[in-house]
Amino acid sequence: MPGRDQNAEQAPIVDIVRDVGDLAASTGRADLAERLEQTSARLHDPGVRVVVVGEFKQGKSKLINALVNAPACPVDDDIATSVPMTVGYADEPSAWVVVQTDAPATGSAKGSAARAVERQEIALEDLAQFVSEHGNPANERNLVSAEVLLPRELLKGGLNLVDSPGVGGLDSSNALATLSALSTAHAVLLVSDASQEYTEPEVQFLKHAMRISPNVAAVLAKTDLYPQWRQVESIDRGHLEDVGDVPMFAVSSDLRLLAAEMQDRELNDESGFPALVAHLRREVLGRSALMHERSAVHDLLSVVEQLAMSLRAELNALQNPQDTPRMIAELEDAKAKADEFRGRSARWQVTLTDGVTDLIADMEHDLRDRLRTVQREAEQAIDGGDPGPIWDQISEWIDQRATAAVTETFVWTDERSRWLSEEVADLFSEGESSIPAIDVGSTEGVLDPVEPISGLDSGRMGAGEKIYLGVRGSYGGVLMVGLATGLIGMALINPLSLLAGILVGRRAYREDMHARLARRQQEAKLLVRRYIDEVIFQVGKQLKDRLRLVQRTARDHFGSMAEELHRSLSEALNSAKAAAGSYTATRDERVIALQEKIARIDSIREVIPELPPAPVMRSLPARPRSDAGAPSAAENAR
């Protein structure tokens, strides 16, 4: 932009947003002023979410405590955190919990299971009684989440550290809730202690997290407890090289807390936390600030252009009355196009509607295809032997495989929804518009745990029951042969009848065992089918809700922008028509006033920072396959 170089000391972008908002309000454009109020709120409080994930007892809670130098999260030898916990900034420390009530959520659809939530303040010292497994076993208090606000410099820039509940293996059903939370995370920290190298579920979870969240880092915790931590770090870095570009930080939370207590800089450096803090400031807060600045710059340019539109149209009509008919015709044509642009038949609207419809169909097919594969493999394993004695292992394997299938569908659907929002944004303004922040991870009740598979009779029989089956089967053989041999003068019970009873009883026993096995196999297959149907029913509905949320958010976002553009063109057209009929006596005064306003707008445009480069739009994500190389149910049972 001309004149940009001589503005060596530009006003902060927050001040520019405030000035343009005041100008929009003074010209009667309350819609544009409200838009800039939202922009200012994002700049003041960006709300950067960093989700800390990992398996049980890996040091996630203590890591957050060490970062903020405060006992924010409860730490215990037993399972500590049972609900998601957010640690953010406030001038005064406080603690809050979000409780799910029995009342239905406001605006929920008829028949929906969504429940209302209530935010309650609690004492900081009582926090452990609410969020820990010891104080709140099995989440009997119906907590949705908890929040701790602390006056810490690290959190002042809008950083929010989310302590997620530990999961008993990142391939378990509990991991789905964590993946759901990653949709709105600006960064992810995967915590694993230095006792061993990464497990296969941790590596797989890293791959999924990198497809969902734009910023993933690995943390090797508890280095002070394991002398061989450097060997584990070297092995883990090899795993990370196979996954992608993932930075790794080896830290000791205990050393960090001790260094803060003793004010020892060398001990703090030895803890490894300075590098992690620098990563959070530079790569997380810094990138978020750049994204918010880009969004703010776009909003400023759009608002300034719309404010100048009606002023320039009126000024041109006053200064060049001979061009007024042509200009009015051009504005009317632009207004007609804007009318079409905000209608349901607009190209971006059609693309959004068709895209979500196609995505829902693809999602349902993908989910059913993956889970039907799991069902077929489970039925083959059941037909291969007796499922009764190993039903617990088979159930665990089915749960893991179903979780993996749902996870792949969830991650792929999330990628497709983001790609669709980018495509709609590109169609809306040919790549010049900022991508809307579509919060697809905040849908309540998404990826709720499904009821576990029911139990199955093990098929084990005691000695008494086996004897009863044998005697019951042998009775007919003894009686039949005994009666036949009685015709030749032999007793009812004789060696021949006893031998026949043994043979007949053995055959009856085997037939009964085969019948019992067949019934157990059929019952096991029925249980598997019911479980798979329940997963398809529940997860399919929840993923549809997520995609509908994407559709509504994108529609409202771009629809409001189309309304703003339509209003600006309407005002420009009315101003031009009014200027064409104005009197000559007042024309000169109006020209001077318009020139002053336009000059003010131009001066504001001069100090707007350069627009940061837009991110490259990703290509359409392909449907991955995750079942290749997965262990069978029989292998898992062994």
Side-chain angles (χ1 to χ4, degrees), residues 407-418:
T407 298
E408 282 291 346
T409 300
F410 168 78
V411 174
W412 178 67
T413 303
D414 185 85
E415 287 182 312
R416 283 281 301 267
S417 64
R418 294 179 186 275

Side-chain angles (χ1 to χ4, degrees), residues 1-10 297 301 604-611:
M1 295 180 184
R4 180 69 54 84
D5 295 336
Q6 57 263 34
N7 294 314
E9 295 184 2
Q10 297 177 346
V297 168
L301 293 175
I604 292 176
R605 185 187 282 108
E606 294 291 334
V607 298
I608 296 178
E610 289 281 0
L611 191 67

Side-chain angles (χ1 to χ4, degrees), residues 366-412:
D366 182 84
L367 181 64
R368 289 180 178 274
D369 179 47
R370 294 181 187 278
L371 291 177
R372 286 176 66 182
T373 300
V374 175
Q375 179 179 329
R376 286 193 296 268
E377 293 176 354
E379 291 180 350
Q380 290 175 1
I382 291 171
D383 288 334
D386 188 354
I390 59 172
W391 183 245
D392 291 340
Q393 293 91 331
I394 293 178
S395 299
E396 181 181 358
W397 175 86
I398 293 173
D399 180 68
Q400 292 177 352
R401 293 285 286 116
T403 298
V406 173
T407 298
E408 282 291 346
T409 300
F410 168 78
V411 174
W412 178 67

Side-chain angles (χ1 to χ4, degrees), residues 421-441:
S421 67
E422 292 175 358
E423 185 182 28
V424 172
D426 188 62
L427 289 174
F428 185 86
S429 54
E430 298 180 352
E432 296 179 1
S433 174
S434 62
I435 305 302
I438 297 181
D439 189 8
V440 298

Side-chain angles (χ1 to χ4, degrees), residues 70-112:
C73 303
V75 178
D76 197 288
D77 292 336
D78 197 0
I79 303 170
T81 308
S82 60
V83 296
M85 224 182 106
T86 302
V87 181
Y89 177 82
D91 293 332
E92 296 293 334
S94 61
W96 301 78
V97 292
V98 178
V99 184
Q100 189 176 49
T101 65
D102 294 333
T106 304
S108 61
K110 185 177 181 181
S112 174

